[in-house]
Amino acid sequence: MQKKLLTVSVVAAFAALALAGCGKEEPKPAPKAEAPAAPAAPPPPPQIVVKIGHVAPLTGNIAHLGKDNENGARLAVDDLNAMGIAVDGKKLVFELVGEDDQADPKTGTVVAQKLVDAKVNAVVGHLNSGTTIPASKIYNDAGIAQISPSATNPTYTQQGFKTAFRVMANDVQQGSVLGSYAAKSLNAKTVAIIDDRTAYGQGLADEVEKAAKAGGAAVVAREFTKNDATDFTAILTKIKGKKPDVIFYGGMDAQAGPMLKQIKTLGIKTKFLTGDGGCSPEMIKLAGDASEGVYCSQAGLPLDKMPRGADFEKRYKAKFNTDVQIYSPYSYDAVLVIADAIKRANSADPAKIVAELPNTATEGVTGKVQFDDKGDVKNGAITVYTVKGGKLDVLEVQGGSLVAKAEAAVKDAVKDAKEAAKEAAGDAAKAVGQAATAVGQEAKKVEEAVKK
Amino acid sequence: MTFHPEIFLQQIINGLVLGSIYALVALGYTMVYGILGLINFAHGEVVMIGALTALSVILALHGAAPDLPAALFILAGTLVAIPVTMALGYTIERVAYRPLRNAPRLAPLITAIGVSIVLQNVALLVWGRSYRSWPPILPTTPHTILGANITDLQIFIVLAAAAIMAGLMLLVNKTKLGRAMRATAENPAVAGLMGVNVNVIISVTFVIGAALGAIAGVMVSANYQIAHYYMGFILGLKAFTAAVLGGIGNLAGAMLGGLLLGLIESLGAGYIGDLTGGFLGSHYQDVFAFFVLIVVLIFRPSGLVGERVAERA
């Protein structure tokens, strides 16, 4: 009897562990959209109403971020209406249709269908990757453009949807910045990488590994933990034996915090680097003083580093009487990008907006927005932070269209000047003259670029 | 691959500390099983409630008087957590197990899992969803022995696990109460006829097991500096595995099984990758631990030191 019970119990334990192992299944976006939505019925001239759908969680524990996104979009809509854009001789009247997805994938698909039924011309949203990805199928089926200001999971734009765009760097871009930051800025010759085996952690860690190797650093240990683990001593001790220059962790703050404490107890003095999942005040709270000197990154620019950030912040505060959270400059830009596409297409027809979006080159608050062939923003900015005095401190910004452009222009100017000097080696006077002209011209270009 | 003796020693220490934590929790499982033949799956949750209660007390005390010595904080937390879990253990037995004592053996197993889910959700309501971290009261500077690091707390955990096991063995084998417990384990009906109050003995067993759970909870959360509502589940599962590995129902077996599981996990995670040339990585540490468990159960079905307990009618 006892033995039988024991067997049953062991089986039960295994079953429980197996259950614990399976993650939550992503709800499938069940509702099917009908045939591509008809273009917004053109109301009697001289004006066209352009409905822009906006989705973010407006209730629940990240409601403050959702409201922030909506405010950014609202500010853009008001600005566009004040500007008075005309298409085909008719004035465009922009209208924001705000919806709440509660950060819940199921609700996300429901409100997506609601926006499709309301015949919006384009959508800005959603906030979370978890809601953006299932909703993207509904917008794709309806042929409506979707621009997310904040979803970073690479899958969103890798589903082959012509309608899916984002104005924020994805986790692949973040991973490559982190990897090259480790190799170049932190001068790491050897890197140890740990991930938590989730889609986010593993994906980010893989990208970091690639970029670190490309940057000339060797990966001396690739270790794994789980997103519910608390004991990391075994893998950390193994890493200690490999003496890496940098440890990277792909995962969330709930593990990064205790991990940092154990690193300290084990007497490991290696630099610690992590992605946006661990780059939070929560990580600092959990790790205490062990978080001091940690490097971590977040997708996006800090507000004061954005080309028109200061102006945006001032007008946002004046209008909504509250502080900018994180993503509102990006939702503002997403609306501008849509308006730009309408201008170029000379039509507010959803299908024509979708067709025009890949040609985007809009100067927004966050810099110049351009999309690659997948719909990801080109040169998306990543900000690297370090923990100093228990707070996240901006260390440097990588990427970002403006920075990249200015850098390229400077490089070109230097190259041209060098070449000019070489060519004119025979004629010193001419060379000086030529080089001076070239430098002058390029300098002007740089100046223009920066001004933009 | 070069062999670093100090890294090996560190892995042994990691394994011993982790193993002692498993053993502390496993003792609670094995005690109840030894008397009742019941796997108390809610024990992991009792550990969690103990940890969170103690942490709340410590946080409140730290807010009022931050300069007290660390040992005093832990003592105060534990002293409040023990009666809370004792009451909890008594209630669980009274409400969920006693009415099912003569039911088929699977029924209390299912209620045990039910109780565990209820307790998790109660903790979720009381303490919230997020991780709660300890205030910085414990000395973090470790002692270095031959290149390996160990903290005061970790030394204390290893010693406490051994002391508690020894104490329990004395209680069960040398005292009057222990004799009554063993009699109940042997045959509750006959023990009742001999003047043993079976209900009281079983309640006492649960209450002692729950008190051990509180101590284990405080030690675990102090070691990792965090506590949250879900911590009992994985811990309980691992401790249960440790108890089965050593021979469930046997106190020394729980200790042995816990230490062995801790060592297998830490050496497994530390060396599998290099020994297999990267073919198997540290994500196989649980697979490795369960593989050892299966092998042991095939050759010694009652665990490493478990004796074949007399069949109960």
Side-chain angles (χ1 to χ4, degrees), chain A residues 2 5 31 70 75 115 162 179 195 221 234 281 341 354 356 410:
Chain A
Q2 300 262 17
L5 175 63
E70 192 176 285
L75 190 62
L115 287 178
K162 290 260 173 289
D195 77 60
V354 171
E356 261 311 321
V410 169

Side-chain angles (χ1 to χ4, degrees), chain B residues 58-70 73 135-138:
Chain B
I58 289 168
L59 282 173
L61 204 59
H62 186 259
D67 296 325
L68 296 174
F73 280 115
I137 47 168
L138 294 167

Side-chain angles (χ1 to χ4, degrees), chain A residues 237-286:
Chain A
T237 302
K238 181 181 171 190
I239 287 171
K240 188 184 183 188
K242 305 277 182 187
K243 299 190 173 58
D245 297 329
V246 169
I247 297 174
F248 173 80
Y249 175 62
M252 302 308 290
D253 44 18
Q255 276 67 47
M259 189 183 287
L260 281 163
K261 278 196 170 153
Q262 288 165 34
I263 284 177
K264 196 177 173 194
T265 310
L266 287 171
I268 301 173
K269 303 243 160 25
T270 311
K271 288 171 188 143
F272 188 87
L273 183 70
T274 184
D276 58 340
C279 201
S280 68
E282 181 76 7
M283 175 273 285
I284 299 173
K285 201 183 94 195
L286 290 175

Side-chain angles (χ1 to χ4, degrees), chain A residues 46-216:
Chain A
Q47 62 179 32
I48 304 175
V49 175
V50 180
K51 284 190 199 169
I52 294 184
H54 181 275
V55 193
L58 301 175
T59 49
N61 57 0
I62 55 168
H64 60 294
L65 296 180
K67 193 68 198 164
D68 182 53
N69 276 19
E70 192 176 285
N71 285 346
R74 194 169 296 283
L75 190 62
V77 162
D78 291 351
D79 284 357
L80 288 169
N81 285 334
M83 256 190 266
I85 302 166
V87 153
D88 214 5
K90 292 164 206 143
K91 190 174 178 285
L92 294 181
V93 178
F94 288 91
E95 195 181 287
L96 194 71
V97 185
E99 289 291 346
D100 174 16
D101 68 8
Q102 301 163 15
D104 169 46
K106 280 191 296 262
T107 316
T109 55
V110 171
V111 296
Q113 187 59 47
K114 205 168 150 193
L115 287 178
V116 168
D117 294 343
K119 298 205 176 2
V120 294
N121 299 65
V123 173
V124 174
H126 303 192
L127 191 150
N128 312 75
S129 295
T131 51
T132 304
I133 296 170
S136 64
K137 172 143 192 352
I138 292 172
Y139 300 125
N140 182 60
D141 289 349
I144 292 175
Q146 175 193 14
I147 305 182
S148 172
S150 49
T152 59
N153 189 304
T155 314
Y156 167 50
T157 49
Q158 285 170 357
Q159 304 169 100
F161 293 162
K162 290 260 173 289
T163 49
F165 297 87
R166 77 176 114 216
V167 288
M168 168 158 290
N170 67 20
D171 289 341
V172 175
Q173 290 162 314
Q174 187 180 185
S176 69
V177 165
L178 281 167
S180 64
Y181 189 82
K184 304 220 171 89
S185 306
L186 298 179
N187 270 325
K189 297 277 163 288
T190 49
V191 184
I193 294 175
I194 310 171
D195 77 60
D196 66 355
R197 300 274 95 185
T198 62
Y200 161 72
Q202 192 181 345
L204 191 60
D206 286 346
E207 294 304 325
V208 168
E209 181 169 357
K210 268 189 239 161
K213 278 179 180 161

Side-chain angles (χ1 to χ4, degrees), chain A residues 1-2 5 8-9 14 17 223-224 226 230-231 233-234 237-238 241-242 254-255 261-262 265-267 286, chain B residues 4 7 10-11 14 18 33 37 39 105-106 131 133 142 149 151 224-225 237 270 274 282-283 286 290 311:
Chain A
M1 189 64 217
Q2 300 262 17
L5 175 63
V8 170
S9 314
F14 272 107
L17 196 71
E223 300 300 327
F224 311 96
K226 274 181 278 175
T230 41
D231 188 296
T233 49
T237 302
K238 181 181 171 190
K242 305 277 182 187
Q255 276 67 47
K261 278 196 170 153
Q262 288 165 34
T265 310
L266 287 171
L286 290 175
Chain B
H4 302 284
I7 295 296
Q10 182 73 61
Q11 292 289 27
N14 294 341
L18 188 62
Y33 187 88
I39 312 272
R105 280 292 163 194
L106 266 179
Y131 283 60
S133 60
N149 287 358
T151 61
Y224 298 118
Q225 302 272 297
L237 216 54
D274 288 338
S282 46
H283 43 322
D286 285 351
F290 281 106
E311 291 275 333

